[in-house]
Amino acid sequence: MQKSNQNKKIIKLMSGVLAILTISSPTSLATKPIQLEDKPGILEKFKSFAWTAAIIGGAIIITGAIIYGISKIKESRSIEGFKRNLDLALKDITNKADVEYMLNEIKEMLVPKVENNRINEFEIRFAEFKTKVQTLDNINAAKRELLQGLHAIVKAFNVRFDTNEFNNLKSNKTGKNAEGSKHESNKPKLQLPSEFKVFKIAVIGSHIDGNKAMPHISRDGLNLNKFTVDKLCSCGVGNKLSEYDVASVDNNLKNEEIELYENYPERLPKDSMLISRDGGWVALSFYYISNCAEAEKIIPECQYAICPFDADSDEIKGNIDDCELKKRLTELRDFIRQYNKTCDIRFLYYIDNIKQADDVGRYQRTISEFSRDLYNDDPKLALQQEVQSHSLSKENGQCYRECFNSILVSSNRKVEEFEQLPNKKVLKINYLEVLEKITFANELN
């Protein structure tokens, strides 16, 4: 009886299989279906086949599981090996200059290993990774980010980080240099010029949300405000303030201000650079703005403001006078103007995400037109607020130089305009005045 029930179950199973075959088969099965009950000999063959198929199927599943498990173990060991090797290479890192030096050396080693058609993609990815690592002030956190981020890059671009090759690269560079290693942290510090003017630049962001200035954050967590300032400060126009022999950095402050001279009251943000121009020196200092309280304190003292964001062709669709881009730029202009009516604005937009050349051209023409409209919006202003836009690309270093030149070319005019305002004066650092202020402060103490 039990065997009869089993046979019926097998018959039903086989009938279902044959039903599927009947539907899918172009043969005469569709017109002449087989009745298993009439052909008991077939039943035994199907039973034998079912058991064989089950054994083979089970073997395949088990084998696949074993192979998958082995691959995971190998992958885990590979990751651990990668981390151990890289950790050895990073053992000498003790400060942020070491981190920057190490990143530059690693990039130099990896670039030749990347496929030619992916070089641009690699440059962008590595620049974002480098910026993310350099923004971390805690050295251990920077090393962890470097380990994790670099592993993701070598995996994504199918390249190999070889510790021995890396060490050979460093050794060869040291051997060619009679003075020994040109490690960034061992370079002699530059001396501050005896006199320079300071132009303050407010870093606003991509849009205004209520009373807050919001930076553009990309999908991988990249802060475009910080990325843009880092690129501007390292494009070769001048030297970062951190490369000079300055007193110290206070990391607890909003903009991580640098004390230029010991006991000297004037401080500048760490994100500043000194530029030699027309026989004199100017410093460009970047101040990050995130809310109204900071804006009210900082923007009145700023001669320029920058607003970095990614260009998006969807923002200029529809009626051009009512499009999202014009609305957003107007809000940014008004946010800045309420604190300083003459603070010049630079809309800095990245075109990397727009693929069609025609769309890029249309976006550039549209934002230039909007910038002119915003500049001419209030003819009653005695001193106009200049509004310009600049196209940037994450893989093109020249565009950052052009952006700087647009600021520097108008700097003398900006000094005159700024100082026409009540109680406004461009900060000028003069070493003789520095000594007087330091002496006076010491006498008070």
Side-chain angles (χ1 to χ4, degrees):
M1 184 68 179
Q2 189 174 0
K3 187 174 183 181
S4 175
N5 289 335
Q6 289 176 347
N7 287 341
K8 287 181 180 179
K9 289 180 181 179
I10 294 173
I11 288 171
K12 287 181 180 180
L13 176 62
M14 293 302 106
S15 297
V17 172
L18 287 175
I20 295 171
L21 291 173
T22 300
I23 293 170
S24 61
S25 174
T27 65
S28 58
L29 278 174
T31 55
K32 296 180 181 180
I34 298 174
Q35 300 296 323
L36 290 178
E37 290 89 340
D38 299 334
K39 302 180 182 296
I42 295 178
L43 178 62
E44 297 303 322
K45 292 181 180 179
F46 269 121
K47 288 167 66 177
S48 175
F49 170 77
W51 282 111
T52 304
I55 293 171
I56 294 173
I60 291 173
I61 292 171
I62 293 170
T63 303
I66 292 172
I67 292 173
Y68 177 78
I70 291 173
S71 69
K72 280 297 184 183
I73 292 171
K74 286 184 176 180
E75 181 181 352
S76 176
R77 289 178 177 174
S78 174
I79 293 172
E80 289 304 315
F82 169 86
K83 288 183 177 179
R84 280 197 303 272
N85 289 339
L86 186 56
D87 202 36
L88 288 173
L90 303 181
K91 66 182 183 299
D92 295 329
I93 287 183
T94 58
N95 54 50
K96 295 191 75 171
D98 294 339
V99 172
E100 183 175 0
Y101 168 80
M102 190 67 67
L103 286 164
N104 292 335
E105 297 297 300
I106 288 172
K107 181 181 177 183
E108 184 176 339
M109 187 188 81
L110 293 183
V111 165
K113 300 181 179 184
V114 178
E115 297 174 8
N116 289 335
N117 61 343
R118 300 190 70 190
I119 287 292
N120 287 342
E121 181 188 353
F122 174 82
E123 291 281 355
I124 294 172
R125 177 79 176 266
F126 198 91
E128 293 175 350
F129 155 66
K130 181 178 178 180
T131 299
K132 193 172 182 180
V133 172
Q134 288 181 305
T135 55
L136 297 171
D137 290 312
N138 183 284
I139 297 303
N140 289 329
K143 289 174 71 171
R144 284 195 300 271
E145 186 63 44
L146 201 158
L147 282 165
Q148 295 170 2
L150 185 59
H151 181 261
I153 286 177
V154 299
K155 186 176 181 181
F157 290 90
N158 195 28
V159 293
R160 186 168 60 92
F161 178 88
D162 188 300
T163 307
N164 292 329
E165 183 181 349
F166 178 73
N167 289 333
N168 288 338
L169 174 69
K170 290 199 298 180
S171 298
N172 290 339
K173 291 180 79 172
T174 301
K176 293 175 184 177
N177 194 322
E179 295 176 7
S181 172
K182 282 296 182 182
H183 193 299
E184 197 70 26
S185 62
N186 293 331
K187 280 185 178 180
K189 290 286 187 179
L190 300 171
Q191 295 299 312
L192 285 172
S194 58
E195 183 175 281
F196 56 94
K197 289 178 290 193
V198 179
F199 289 100
K200 297 183 179 183
I201 303 174
V203 186
I204 306 298
S206 65
H207 64 284
I208 302 300
D209 183 5
N211 290 321
K212 292 183 178 180
M214 307 299 292
H216 180 96
I217 306 294
S218 62
R219 272 177 271 180
D220 59 355
L222 179 69
N223 184 320
L224 210 56
N225 276 3
K226 183 63 179 171
F227 176 81
T228 303
V229 171
D230 286 344
K231 294 290 278 187
L232 288 170
C233 288
S234 58
C235 69
V237 172
N239 294 96
K240 297 178 184 178
L241 193 55
S242 59
E243 297 177 43
Y244 287 83
D245 187 15
V246 291
S248 64
V249 180
D250 191 336
N251 296 318
N252 298 316
L253 299 175
K254 163 71 178 177
N255 290 289
E256 297 181 297
E257 293 184 351
I258 288 180
E259 185 182 16
L260 297 174
Y261 309 92
E262 190 174 356
N263 297 327
Y264 182 58
E266 300 288 357
R267 296 181 173 209
L268 296 181
K270 185 180 67 174
D271 285 331
S272 300
M273 61 184 303
L274 278 162
I275 302 166
S276 175
R277 184 173 177 85
D278 299 331
W281 288 84
V282 297
L284 299 182
S285 297
F286 297 90
Y287 295 80
Y288 297 95
I289 308 293
S290 59
N291 55 54
C292 287
E294 292 170 356
E296 186 175 11
K297 177 182 177 183
I298 296 173
I299 293 181
E301 301 301 321
C302 289
Q303 291 79 42
Y304 298 92
I306 61 173
C307 305
F309 54 87
D310 277 335
D312 184 353
S313 53
D314 289 341
E315 282 194 308
I316 56 175
K317 287 183 177 179
N319 186 334
I320 206 69
D321 290 324
D322 298 324
C323 70
E324 286 298 317
L325 179 62
K326 187 167 188 178
K327 177 184 175 184
R328 189 162 60 81
L329 298 187
T330 303
E331 289 177 346
L332 285 165
R333 191 279 312 269
D334 291 345
F335 179 82
I336 297 166
R337 182 175 284 182
Q338 67 179 310
Y339 302 106
N340 186 342
K341 289 183 171 57
T342 62
C343 182
D344 287 355
I345 301 174
R346 299 291 187 270
F347 294 124
L348 309 180
Y349 59 97
Y350 287 87
I351 59 172
D352 303 84
N353 292 339
I354 302 181
K355 304 304 179 185
Q356 299 297 325
D358 290 344
D359 291 339
V360 171
R362 183 166 178 259
Y363 194 96
Q364 289 173 327
R365 291 190 297 273
T366 302
I367 195 171
S368 295
E369 180 183 334
F370 289 165
S371 297
R372 287 194 299 271
D373 290 346
L374 293 171
Y375 170 78
N376 294 318
D377 185 61
D378 190 354
K380 295 179 181 179
L381 286 176
L383 300 173
Q384 277 285 353
Q385 179 185 42
E386 185 181 81
V387 180
Q388 292 186 18
S389 60
H390 293 284
S391 172
L392 300 180
S393 172
K394 293 171 185 173
E395 54 185 286
N396 177 12
Q398 183 60 32
C399 60
Y400 299 97
R401 289 171 170 262
E402 293 168 357
C403 177
F404 260 134
N405 286 335
S406 79
I407 293 175
L408 294 171
V409 75
S410 65
S411 58
N412 290 333
R413 171 190 60 80
K414 201 61 194 171
V415 171
E416 294 175 4
E417 289 186 352
F418 190 76
E419 294 188 342
Q420 288 181 39
L421 300 171
N423 304 316
K424 297 296 181 185
K425 195 169 182 65
V426 172
L427 176 62
K428 296 174 185 175
I429 307 294
N430 179 286
Y431 189 61
L432 294 178
E433 294 178 2
V434 166
L435 292 178
E436 289 178 6
K437 287 188 178 182
I438 292 175
T439 302
F440 181 71
N442 290 337
E443 287 174 354
L444 289 179
N445 295 328

